[in-house]
Amino acid sequence: MTRAAFPGWSRAAADFYLGLEADNSKAYWRSHKEVYETQVLAPMLALLAELADEFGNGTVFRPYRDVRFSQDKSPYKTHIGALLERGYVQFSASGLGVAAGYHTMAPDQLDRYRAAVADDESGPALEDAIAAVEARGLTVVSHDSLKTAPRGYPKEHSRIELLRRKNLATWREWPADTAWIGSKAVVAHIADALRASRVLGAWLEEHVGASELEGRERP
């Protein structure tokens, strides 16, 4: 079977999510499902196929929100996200984003991460890796950090800001009105961002690695 080439995301894809943000209901979803499948999902699957040889196979996340423990009962995500073996891609009404790194860390990973950050050789190497990816236009982000030093580490440590982090990843995003988002040039921009993130990914793989706890995996 011939693999469909990635066509870019049309304005209809962004408009679909603008509408979903305004009316996050089953009625809207059902009446616009064909738009989702043809203008949002199909391009994402084609993009993942084009990235697979270099960055591994991709999986698209389900469009449904887990509302079991949330006060927000909106049933649908207002973006499409996909996980590659070595990266993450997201598209929404606001634009296109790409990430790589460790979005979550299990307790054993956090222990190894903090020990490596505190170490006088691997700690500065992490600072160098962060500087290298930032020089390539990426942002290094953490969605969760401690308010103070982790137990066993001094508050005055020279790398305390990194020690407080509970996850570490690169992020790059482009607005939805960026001209090339509607073209196959997306493939090159995503690939360039993922390549630029490799120096940080290599540090994480060497010093943190996968969780050894049963049932815990790095996403």
Side-chain angles (χ1 to χ4, degrees), residues 5 31 44 61 65 79 91 104 109 115-116 130 141 143 162 201 207:
S31 65
M44 177 63 88
F61 287 102
R65 295 183 63 250
H79 66 270
F91 177 81
T104 60
Q109 291 175 300
I130 291 173
V141 297
H143 65 81
L162 287 171
H207 298 288

Side-chain angles (χ1 to χ4, degrees), residues 139-150:
T139 301
V140 176
V141 297
S142 299
H143 65 81
D144 193 9
S145 296
L146 297 175
K147 293 182 179 180
T148 186

Side-chain angles (χ1 to χ4, degrees), residues 59-79:
T59 303
V60 178
F61 287 102
R62 288 164 54 87
Y64 314 106
R65 295 183 63 250
D66 184 353
V67 300
R68 291 174 297 171
F69 308 107
S70 175
Q71 292 184 348
D72 179 2
K73 300 302 181 182
S74 303
Y76 302 103
K77 298 173 184 175
T78 54
H79 66 270

